[in-house]
Each structure stands twice: as structure tokens, then as C-alpha cells.
Amino acid sequence: MTTNAAAPVRAELAFSLRLSRSSDESSSLDVQLRACRLKAEALGFDEETIAAAVANAYVDDGVSGGSALEARKKGMARIMADRPAVVIAWKLDRFARSVREFQKLLDWADENGVRLVTSDSLLDSADKSGTGRLIATIIAAVAEWELGIITDRSEAAHEERRTQGRWISGKAPFPYKVERRDGKAYLAEDADAFAIVREQIAKLLEGGKGATLAGTARALPIGRQQWRKLLRGVMLRGWREHNGELVTEADGVTPVQFGPEVIDAATAKRVRDRLAELEAGERAERMDAPWLAGMVVCACGAKWNGGQSSRKKPLYKGSCGHGSIMAHLIEPLVFEDFRKQHGDTPLYEVTYSGGIDHSGDLADLDAKIRRGNANLLLMDADDAADLRALVSDLKATHARLSAEHDPEVTETWTLTDVLLWEAWDQATEDQRRSMLTDQRCKVTVHPAGHPGGRVVIDWEPVASEGDAEYETAA
């Protein structure tokens, strides 16, 4: 036995309300709803029907009248699905600001027996006369023309704000905040957000454990993909892009400064280089890598990588498949031997001098010169004098910085009174790993029963140019 489901009850009356992103109080939802109620009363609907229409009004909030009917999911798209008998809107442009979309709505209303009415009486689709349809279509065309004027005016205003370095609207992008000065909005430094971004960038550049996009993103209020986009983009320099192009001043060369820079040109270049390394597969060490990862080998010379046992305990496992050994069976022996062999070694303090690195600034200048040359090709010779002078100045600055550019750094080692064992006790895990690496720690794991013991520790200190014994730096 087949039971047919009852057809949904078709509402007698519906109110269609739409509020654009740039609306003011004169077109508020309350104003529209009040006008729709009065029109419904004039058409003879009873109070109960009107109250139901008010309670279940179809509202497109923050939606442009030029958008497709089907895209207006909370209002017009639902009306077209529910097919109420009579639909009242405040004015014709609340239905649509496009002749095409308005004609589509009229065709749908005719096919589904729906009556479209506006509170100002300029539209009543029950009027099948040619004159009524012609007037409605003309009004729709005027509404479409008005939308174009509004769009052009809005874009011109946005363009003006961009050239002034002003924030147009909405929430500030991380890590900035919006600050109002003289009644205008600008991007300003969010001290806490700036600090944490700089801290995570420093970790990313230092390398080591957790120095990946995922590892550094964990401390941030944004996800890894947003973090990647932020590092790759221009926002951290205080700049912005519009439609994929850098927003520049009138010269078409100099970036507009929307807010204080989080990182300078040199750091931005180092970040780009670091991202390229990560993308090329030069990953930082795993988060679960034990202390001696990279220093342990088996008797055949194959490296033993760090990992975890089934009980989440750190261990070293042979990449050649020759077994594994728990970390607690190796590490205490290495630490004890390190202290015995090198504990009384004095530390040297290392200072760095020289090293003038203009690579970040040179990259910025290269980009400005390219933009300037591209704009020169589009300009008449008479109008290009100022821009040609600017490009010439940029090239002169580029030549000066190139002459100064010398990133080589000189190390100076100064003996201190601190002994290595004293520094070891105060050192962090990463610093201790560095100490072991400095002394070229090598741990060989032999099969059980080996005459020399299963674990053999060797130290291969680096020699200086004068073949003097290498000392660890503080």
C-alpha cells in the first residue's frame, strides 16, 4: 500500500527583505518591514496572516541586489522554494538590481502562480498589461544602473583609502589591530601578537626540534595554512595586496605602508629561504628525536635514528634493521664520559664582527626597479620624467648597497674562567646537544656480547688552523 505524503502548506503571504552591505537607516529592515505590513493591510490581509508573515520574514542581510536569486539562500532562494501566494517587498530594487535577475523572477512568478508586489505600488505582477510590465522593467534597468554607480563610487573610495594606507573595513589581519586616528581607521601594532610572531619566526630560522611550519604554528591563534600564507605574503612588512598586486603609491613603485612592519627586509628574505628549504625536504629534526639522534651508529656504520618504543619510551633504532637499544642504556654513559673527558675544559666566548648583509634590501630594490621599468613602458615620454628619476635613484642605492654587501662574518674567541662541566649543569637540552656535537660525539652500538662492550664512545674534537686543541664555545 502506497501512502502519499501531504503536500506542504503554501503560505498566503510572505515579506521579502534585503539589506545591502552599504545600507543606512533609511533602508533598515524595520523600515522595510513596516512598509510591507501597511501594504498587506491595504491588500486586505487579516492580522493573523500578516503576523505570520512578519514572524517568518525572508531576510537577505548583507546581500547585494545584483547577486543571483539562487545565491540569496536565506531569503529569495527560500521564497522560490516555498512559493508563497503573495510576496511583498519594500521597493523593486529589494527584489533585484539586475534586469536579467528581475526578468527571471517575473518568469518564475508567472510559472508558479506567485504575485509579486512592492509597497510603493510600482510593481504588481497581477497586472498583466504591457504597460505595467514595461514600467517595472524600466525601473529594474534604472536600479541596475544605480548599482553600477554605487559600485564605482565604492571602489573609488576604497582605492583612495588604500593610497592613504588606511584600513577599509572589517577585522584587522593577524597580527595587527585597528586603531582610529582623526576618525579614520589604520592598522597598528598588537604588541602581544607581534611578539609571538617574531618569536616563532626566530624558532623557524634557528632550526632544530619543532622548527617547521606545523611546529611554529602551534603557538599561534591561526592554523598552519594561514601561517604559511602570512610568511609567504607581504603583510608582515606592513604592506598589502589588492587583486594579486602590491598596493603602491602614485609612482607605482613604492609600497604603501599600511602598518608597522613585523619583520625587516633581511628577515623576510631569510624566512623565504627557510620556506624553500622546508619545501625542498630539508626538514627539522623530529619532535620525538632523542638526545643523541644523528650521533649513534651500529658496528657496520649505519646510522641509528631516534624514535619511540611501543610504550612511548625513547630509543635508537638501526636504519639497517640490526636492532635497537633503549635511550636510557646509552645516554647516562655518554654524559658520564663527556664530563670525564671534557668537564675541565675551559669555555671560550665567541663574538662576531663584520658581516654586512643587505640581501633583503637588495631584493626589495630589485622589485621596485622592476615595477618602475614596467610602468615606464606604459607612460608617454613627457610624463615619465619623475618616474625615470626615481628609478635612477633606486639603481644608485642598489649599487651602493651592493658595494657594501659582504655577509662574511669574523669570529673572535676569548677564553673565559667557566669550565665545561659548569656550563653543562646550566645548559638547556639543545645547548647540551650542541656541546656533544662540538666534540664530535660518536656512539657505536655493537651486538650483545661484544668484547669491548655493547656501547663504545668516541670523541673527535675539531682542530683549529694552528692545530691547537679545539675548545668549546660558551
Side-chain angles (χ1 to χ4, degrees):
M1 179 177 178
T2 303
T3 303
N4 293 326
V9 177
R10 184 181 183 184
E12 294 181 47
L13 176 65
F15 294 155
S16 177
L17 314 179
R18 184 183 64 78
L19 195 64
S20 68
R21 296 177 180 86
S22 57
S23 297
D24 55 33
E25 292 184 2
S26 65
S27 59
S28 68
L29 294 177
D30 288 340
V31 169
Q32 296 180 46
L33 194 58
R34 191 178 307 115
C36 289
R37 287 185 61 123
L38 292 174
K39 184 63 177 179
E41 292 172 0
L43 292 176
F45 286 97
D46 58 56
E47 187 58 36
E48 183 179 353
T49 302
I50 294 174
V54 170
N56 299 287
Y58 294 81
V59 181
D60 283 312
D61 194 356
V63 176
S64 168
S67 59
L69 301 175
E70 296 82 357
R72 294 157 56 179
K73 299 187 180 300
K74 294 184 178 180
M76 186 54 66
R78 288 180 51 230
I79 287 176
M80 297 177 76
D82 295 345
R83 299 180 299 110
V86 177
V87 180
I88 301 177
W90 177 43
K91 295 182 179 181
L92 188 143
D93 65 2
R94 298 301 99 182
F95 281 133
R97 276 189 178 270
S98 161
V99 173
R100 177 183 175 184
E101 294 301 313
F102 178 65
Q103 189 59 54
K104 184 196 299 184
L105 182 62
L106 286 179
D107 293 342
W108 167 83
D110 290 341
E111 293 172 3
N112 291 274
V114 176
R115 182 182 178 186
L116 303 176
V117 181
T118 57
S119 65
D120 57 9
S121 302
L122 289 178
L123 172 66
D124 188 340
S125 64
D127 179 5
K128 301 298 183 181
S129 68
T131 302
R133 290 299 178 100
L134 176 61
I135 292 174
T137 303
I138 292 173
I139 293 172
V142 172
E144 184 173 355
W145 171 77
E146 286 179 338
L147 177 61
I149 295 296
I150 292 170
T151 301
D152 291 343
R153 189 185 305 128
S154 177
E155 180 55 36
H158 289 338
E159 180 66 25
E160 179 66 17
R161 293 189 186 101
R162 280 192 290 270
T163 60
Q164 296 173 356
R166 292 165 54 190
W167 185 243
I168 296 174
S169 64
K171 184 179 178 182
F174 179 81
Y176 292 89
K177 65 181 180 180
V178 174
E179 181 178 271
R180 301 198 72 84
R181 300 194 296 270
D182 300 326
K184 301 174 182 178
Y186 296 88
L187 292 181
E189 176 181 345
D190 183 328
D192 292 339
F194 268 45
I196 194 171
V197 166
R198 287 168 176 159
E199 180 183 347
Q200 297 311 307
I201 287 177
K203 289 182 179 179
L204 185 72
L205 296 177
E206 285 173 2
K209 292 184 178 181
T212 60
L213 281 170
T216 51
R218 290 190 181 95
L220 302 172
I222 57 176
R224 184 181 64 171
Q225 295 304 322
Q226 292 173 292
W227 180 226
R228 183 198 301 273
K229 183 177 180 181
L230 187 64
L231 293 174
R232 282 179 170 174
V234 299
M235 195 73 248
L236 294 180
R237 301 295 310 281
W239 305 340
R240 284 193 62 208
E241 290 183 332
H242 178 64
N243 293 334
E245 297 290 335
L246 183 67
V247 179
T248 61
E249 295 182 3
D251 58 24
V253 174
T254 309
V256 173
Q257 201 69 37
F258 282 85
E261 64 178 20
V262 184
I263 56 176
D264 58 19
T267 305
K269 184 179 184 303
R270 292 177 62 204
V271 168
R272 290 194 298 270
D273 293 342
R274 175 61 175 159
L275 292 178
E277 289 178 2
L278 294 176
E279 290 168 359
E282 297 181 21
R283 298 291 188 264
E285 295 177 15
R286 295 199 328 242
M287 290 292 290
D288 60 353
W291 279 51
L292 304 178
M295 306 180 200
V296 182
V297 298
C298 71
C300 67
K303 283 189 176 182
W304 282 34
N305 302 316
Q308 288 188 341
S309 68
S310 58
R311 296 184 179 182
K312 304 299 181 184
K313 300 294 184 181
L315 56 76
Y316 300 90
K317 188 172 183 180
S319 58
C320 58
H322 288 178
S324 63
I325 186 170
M326 300 303 296
H328 72 271
L329 299 178
I330 295 182
E331 292 171 355
L333 299 177
V334 174
F335 303 156
E336 180 182 350
D337 197 57
F338 175 78
R339 184 158 184 157
K340 184 167 97 174
Q341 297 289 339
H342 307 288
D344 293 330
T345 303
L347 271 71
Y348 282 75
E349 182 179 16
V350 182
T351 56
Y352 299 94
S353 59
I356 300 175
D357 187 354
H358 290 315
S359 55
D361 293 316
L362 290 172
D364 277 355
L365 286 169
D366 284 333
K368 290 180 180 180
I369 291 170
R370 285 196 301 271
R371 288 195 294 270
N373 287 333
N375 289 333
L376 281 172
L377 295 175
L378 303 175
M379 299 176 68
D380 294 332
D382 295 338
D383 299 330
D386 290 342
L387 182 54
R388 190 175 292 108
L390 175 59
V391 172
S392 179
D393 289 342
L394 291 173
K395 288 180 177 179
T397 303
H398 190 284
R400 177 177 59 80
L401 293 182
S402 296
E404 296 177 358
H405 181 62
D406 183 14
E408 292 297 325
V409 178
T410 301
E411 294 182 355
T412 303
W413 294 62
T414 306
L415 188 65
T416 70
D417 296 330
V418 180
L419 300 181
L420 191 55
W421 69 266
E422 296 174 321
W424 176 275
D425 289 342
Q426 303 298 322
T428 64
E429 180 178 328
D430 285 340
Q431 289 170 336
R432 291 183 179 182
R433 280 178 52 82
S434 179
M435 292 180 188
L436 296 176
T437 303
D438 286 342
Q439 297 299 332
R440 297 291 182 88
C441 177
K442 179 182 176 183
V443 182
T444 304
V445 180
H446 295 277
H450 184 265
R454 190 173 186 203
V455 177
V456 177
I457 304 169
D458 295 308
W459 307 95
E460 300 176 6
V462 178
S464 66
E465 292 183 0
D467 291 330
E469 185 177 350
Y470 170 83
E471 308 293 357
T472 302

